[in-house]
Amino acid sequence: MGFNPPRSVIRVMWFPLLWLGLIAMTLLVVGLPPGRMILFIAFNTMLVGISEELMFRGVIFRALLSQYRIWTAIIVSSILFGAVHILNVFNTGDLSGALIQSIPAAMSGILFVAIVIRTRSIWPAIIYHALWDFVLFTMLTGGQANGIESNPDGLESLGSLQTLLPLVMGLPNFICGLVLLRHVNNNYR
């Protein structure tokens, strides 16, 4: 499952944490949700980080790796990770939103598996995944709690922004994951 002590954490994690810090700065604009909501988000995203990383990088990636070449395991596990986010339609009722969320989730899946491969541990991926979700959900909830409308009247172009924003936010994760995965070959086990 990868419950090893991590290696090279600073070398691997500096850019993802920098990017997350920049995104977190939007909380200065949208504001924070009420304190109890922050605790709920923290608890929930911790559980999501643990469960999704165990499922996708701990079980699925390692199972694929035992049967296929490493890049096949990386790509298939990341696509499956993105695809499962389509199921959020049952929580939100918004199919297009769930489909849009699945693409940056798959892109982030590349980073999460790169973190596991490069640190040789699942712990940094669990922590980063939980922090990533915490910042995003806190931003969303803070914006809603502070009356920031997702599509105010007169801003038709915001609809396309809502489509592009998750992709733009996930793109650095994807690129960082690809950079971390350069020179990865089938000798990794």
Side-chain angles (χ1 to χ4, degrees), residues 70-92:
I70 191 164
W71 277 99
T72 302
I74 290 168
I75 292 167
V76 170
S77 66
S78 297
I79 289 171
L80 289 173
F81 178 67
V84 80
H85 285 79
I86 295 171
L87 297 176
N88 286 336
V89 69
F90 295 113
N91 290 334
T92 64

Side-chain angles (χ1 to χ4, degrees), residues 72-154:
T72 302
I74 290 168
I75 292 167
V76 170
S77 66
S78 297
I79 289 171
L80 289 173
F81 178 67
V84 80
H85 285 79
I86 295 171
L87 297 176
N88 286 336
V89 69
F90 295 113
N91 290 334
T92 64
D94 179 15
L95 179 60
S96 64
L99 289 170
I100 290 167
Q101 181 189 15
S102 70
I103 296 168
M107 291 169 29
S108 292
I110 295 288
L111 175 61
F112 298 147
V113 77
I115 291 170
V116 168
I117 289 170
R118 289 299 179 197
T119 64
R120 296 207 174 257
S121 175
I122 200 166
W123 289 114
I126 288 171
I127 293 166
Y128 184 73
H129 189 153
L131 288 172
W132 177 262
D133 285 353
F134 175 78
V135 168
L136 296 183
F137 282 108
T138 303
M139 263 180 13
L140 179 66
T141 308
Q144 291 170 346
N146 294 309
I148 297 174
E149 294 291 324
S150 60
N151 196 0
D153 293 334

Side-chain angles (χ1 to χ4, degrees), residues 5-14 114-115 117-121 124 180:
R7 300 183 327 187
S8 306
V9 174
I10 293 171
R11 195 178 93 222
V12 171
M13 299 301 299
W14 74 268
I115 291 170
I117 289 170
R118 289 299 179 197
T119 64
R120 296 207 174 257
S121 175
L180 289 172

Side-chain angles (χ1 to χ4, degrees), residues 13-34:
M13 299 301 299
W14 74 268
F15 182 81
L17 291 172
L18 175 66
W19 178 237
L20 185 59
L22 290 172
I23 292 172
M25 289 174 58
T26 61
L27 289 169
L28 298 172
V29 175
V30 299
L32 292 171

